[in-house]
Amino acid sequence: MIFEPQLETMPRESLRALQLDRLRALLASVKERVPLYRDRLAQVEARDITSLDDLRHLPFTRKDDLRDTYACGMFAVAREQLRRIHASSGTTGKLTVVGYTEADLELFARVNARSLAMAGAEPGMILHNAYGYGLFTGGLGLHDGGQRLGMTVVPVSGGLTERQLMLITDFRPEVICCTPSYALTLAQAFAERGIAGAELSLRFALLGAEPWTEAMRREVDAGLGVASTNIYGLSEVIGPGVSCECVEERAGLHVNEDHFLPEIVDPDTQQPLPDGEEGVLVFTTLTKEALPLVRYWTGDITSLSSEPCACGRTLVRMARIKGRADDMLIIRGINVYPTQVEAALLQLAELTPNYRILVSRGGTLDEAEVEIEVSEAFLLEAGTDSLAGDLQHVRELRDRAERRLKETIGCSLPVVLKAPGAVPRSDGGKLQRVVDQRSP
C-alpha cells in the first residue's frame, strides 16, 4: 500500500521542481521570521536560488544553534500558534526544543502514516506502539501516524516487558513499533517462555531510534515472526517519519523528500557528494512552520541512491545509518563504528546481538574491549553452564571473534564472552552500546 501515491511516486523532474519552489518560499520565510537566519542569510535572496545545487552556497545549521537559542529562539511562529512542544535530551544539560503548529502535526501524522504503509501496515490493523511517550517524539509521532492510516493504536510506551508480552498475546496486533534493541528483548522474552515467533500475531515491525545491523534484523524477524523495517527520524527535523524502508525491498529508507530535502556532504570538506558516496546527512525542512531548518547537519553517516525501487516509490533512498560522525571511536588510531563491531561479530552463530563496547584510556591512546553474550546453544553444545576458567571451547570462540574483528574492521579488540543475560538489555528506550570509562 502507498499512502499518498500522487506524491510518493511523483516523477523525479516534477519532484525537483516542487522542492525548488518550496525551498525559495522557505528561505524568504526564515529570513523574515527567524533572527538567526536573518543574520546568516542576509546576502541571500530567494529569487537568486535557481536550482537545488545552489544549496551548497548556504550555511549549515547545527545542534548548537538550537542549544544557543534555547528555549524557543529558533521558532518562526508566535508561541500562541504552537500546539505541541517536544524535546530531546541534551549532553550539556540543555534540551533541544522543537515545536509544532497545527499544520506541523498534520504533516507529522502524514509522514508516519506513509512510513507505516511502507512497512506493510494497512487500515484496520492493530499497532502495538512500544516507543516512549512524552517529550520524546517517537511514541506520539507513530501514534498519530497509525490513527491517520486508519489503524487501532495500543499506546503501550516503553518498558514493563511482562505487560508488553501480555498485551501482544491478548490483543494480537499485526504491527509493532519500538527500538531494535527492545524488539530483541521482547523476542528473547518470548523465547524464554517457549513461544516461537511463528506463534505470534505480529507480521510487521518498524524499528528505529538507534543504529542496528542486518544480523540483528534476522534475529528480530525470527524471534517475533515479522518482517522488520528501519524507520528514521530526528526530533529537530520532525521526529520519526523522515524516512522508512519499504517492505518490498528492505534495502534503503525512502526519504519523504517532498518535505525533507536531503544532501550528503563530506565531513571534512563539507562539500556535497554524489549518489552512492558516504558522508554526513544534511536536511532542509521544506514545509515545516514552527521550526524550519536550513541545511541541518545531522551528524549521521550514510549515502543516497536514486535507483528505482520495486515498491514503485520514486523517493530517494538513504542507506542504513552507519553511525554518527561524533560517535565514531578512534581506537589506537583506527576509526571504528559500533555497528561495524556488531556486524562483524554476529557473523559467528555462537554469539548473540547482546553486546557493549567499553572504552578506556590507559596511556595516550584510547583502548576498547567488547563484551558479548554467547548463545544458549553454545553452552549446551559445550556441555557447560559457565564461561569461567580456561576452557578450550571458550578460548577458541574468543580467538575466532577477535580474528573476525581484526579481519573486518582492521582493529584488534579484546573480546570478553559473557553468559546469556549478563549484558544489560533495553528497557524500551535507546540502548547504550558504548560505555565510556575514560577519566574526565
Side-chain angles (χ1 to χ4, degrees):
M1 174 186 175
I2 299 180
F3 181 66
E4 295 181 307
Q6 72 280 11
L7 295 170
E8 296 178 66
T9 64
M10 183 182 295
R12 294 293 304 173
E13 184 177 341
S14 300
L15 177 58
R16 289 183 69 82
L18 176 64
Q19 290 172 324
L20 182 58
D21 286 345
R22 288 180 170 179
L23 176 60
R24 289 172 176 149
L26 167 75
L27 294 176
S29 175
V30 296
K31 282 188 64 177
E32 178 183 349
R33 301 182 179 187
V34 183
L36 181 138
Y37 289 130
R38 187 179 302 128
D39 294 338
R40 289 191 181 173
L41 302 175
Q43 305 305 314
V44 177
E45 295 296 335
R47 62 176 178 271
D48 295 333
I49 304 298
T50 59
S51 79
L52 295 178
D53 291 338
D54 291 335
L55 261 179
R56 70 179 62 210
H57 304 302
L58 304 182
F60 295 106
T61 307
R62 298 180 184 264
K63 196 159 193 170
D64 281 346
D65 292 322
L66 278 75
R67 294 193 181 111
D68 293 344
T69 54
Y70 177 86
C72 303
M74 288 285 288
F75 288 172
V77 299
R79 201 279 307 159
E80 292 77 12
Q81 293 179 259
L82 298 178
R83 295 297 175 265
R84 188 188 297 169
I85 288 178
H86 282 285
S88 61
S89 58
T91 56
T92 60
K94 289 291 188 182
L95 300 174
T96 300
V97 179
V98 296
Y100 300 77
T101 64
E102 195 71 44
D104 290 335
L105 290 176
E106 169 63 14
L107 169 61
F108 199 14
R110 284 171 53 204
V111 294
N112 276 286
R114 284 188 189 184
S115 298
L116 284 158
M118 286 182 198
E122 297 178 3
M125 288 183 173
I126 297 177
L127 171 63
H128 182 97
N129 189 4
Y131 276 117
Y133 283 65
L135 287 177
F136 174 60
T137 56
L140 283 167
L142 279 154
H143 181 113
D144 291 346
Q147 291 186 170
R148 190 75 166 76
L149 184 59
M151 304 179 74
T152 300
V153 181
V154 183
V156 189
S157 196
L160 298 176
T161 298
E162 286 295 331
R163 185 176 66 176
Q164 305 266 0
L165 303 184
M166 178 185 72
L167 293 175
I168 292 171
T169 302
D170 294 345
F171 290 172
R172 300 188 59 77
E174 295 93 344
V175 185
I176 184 171
C177 298
C178 59
T179 63
S181 58
Y182 195 56
L184 185 63
T185 294
L186 293 173
Q188 292 169 341
F190 275 119
E192 290 167 3
R193 290 153 180 79
I195 301 174
E199 301 175 63
L200 299 173
S201 61
L202 294 170
R203 295 171 53 196
F204 306 106
L206 276 79
L207 310 179
E210 60 189 23
W212 54 305
T213 61
E214 287 299 317
M216 183 178 284
R217 193 205 298 265
R218 291 191 292 271
E219 294 268 348
V220 170
D221 284 1
L224 293 180
V226 296
S228 58
T229 49
N230 196 355
I231 185 170
Y232 171 85
L234 62 166
S235 299
E236 300 91 324
V237 174
I238 200 166
V242 174
S243 65
C244 188
E245 286 179 319
C246 62
V247 73
E248 289 86 353
E249 288 206 7
R250 299 200 291 174
L253 297 83
H254 289 283
V255 179
N256 287 310
E257 56 177 325
D258 50 329
H259 300 290
F260 315 115
L261 180 58
E263 302 173 77
I264 300 295
V265 301
D266 185 286
D268 298 319
T269 68
Q270 301 183 0
Q271 293 303 303
L273 297 173
D275 269 18
E277 292 199 23
E278 196 173 82
V280 175
L281 180 62
V282 172
F283 278 112
T284 297
T285 63
L286 297 175
T287 57
K288 280 180 64 185
E289 291 183 342
L291 185 65
L293 295 174
V294 178
R295 303 195 81 196
Y296 183 71
W297 183 283
T298 71
D300 292 327
I301 303 297
T302 185
S303 60
L304 296 176
S305 172
S306 300
E307 290 295 316
C309 182
C311 73
R313 293 176 178 85
T314 55
L315 301 170
V316 71
R317 282 181 284 177
M318 52 181 270
R320 180 188 296 273
I321 298 296
K322 182 176 182 179
R324 290 186 59 80
D326 52 2
D327 286 346
M328 182 181 71
L329 304 172
I330 303 177
I331 306 301
R332 294 190 299 280
I334 297 175
N335 297 343
V336 177
Y337 289 97
T339 51
Q340 291 178 297
V341 173
E342 178 181 320
L345 292 181
L346 292 191
Q347 295 174 26
L348 302 179
E350 300 92 336
L351 301 178
T352 78
N354 301 304
Y355 75 98
R356 61 180 183 170
I357 303 171
L358 308 179
V359 181
S360 60
R361 180 176 294 168
T364 58
L365 297 176
D366 288 344
E367 303 284 345
E369 71 175 20
V370 182
E371 293 183 345
I372 188 166
E373 290 181 13
V374 300
S375 65
E376 295 279 3
F378 171 74
L379 293 181
L380 287 172
E381 186 175 336
T384 181
D385 59 359
S386 171
L387 296 174
D390 191 27
L391 303 176
Q392 181 178 355
H393 60 282
V394 175
R395 291 200 311 273
E396 290 176 349
L397 177 57
R398 182 194 63 214
D399 292 345
R400 279 194 291 130
E402 291 177 349
R403 283 199 304 274
R404 183 58 56 89
L405 286 173
K406 177 64 175 177
E407 292 167 358
T408 55
I409 66 175
C411 185
S412 297
L413 297 177
V415 173
V416 179
L417 301 181
K418 308 292 285 187
V423 174
R425 299 288 198 272
S426 170
D427 61 358
K430 296 183 182 182
L431 185 62
Q432 185 180 10
R433 291 296 195 186
V434 178
V435 180
D436 191 346
Q437 298 179 325
R438 293 170 292 189
S439 299

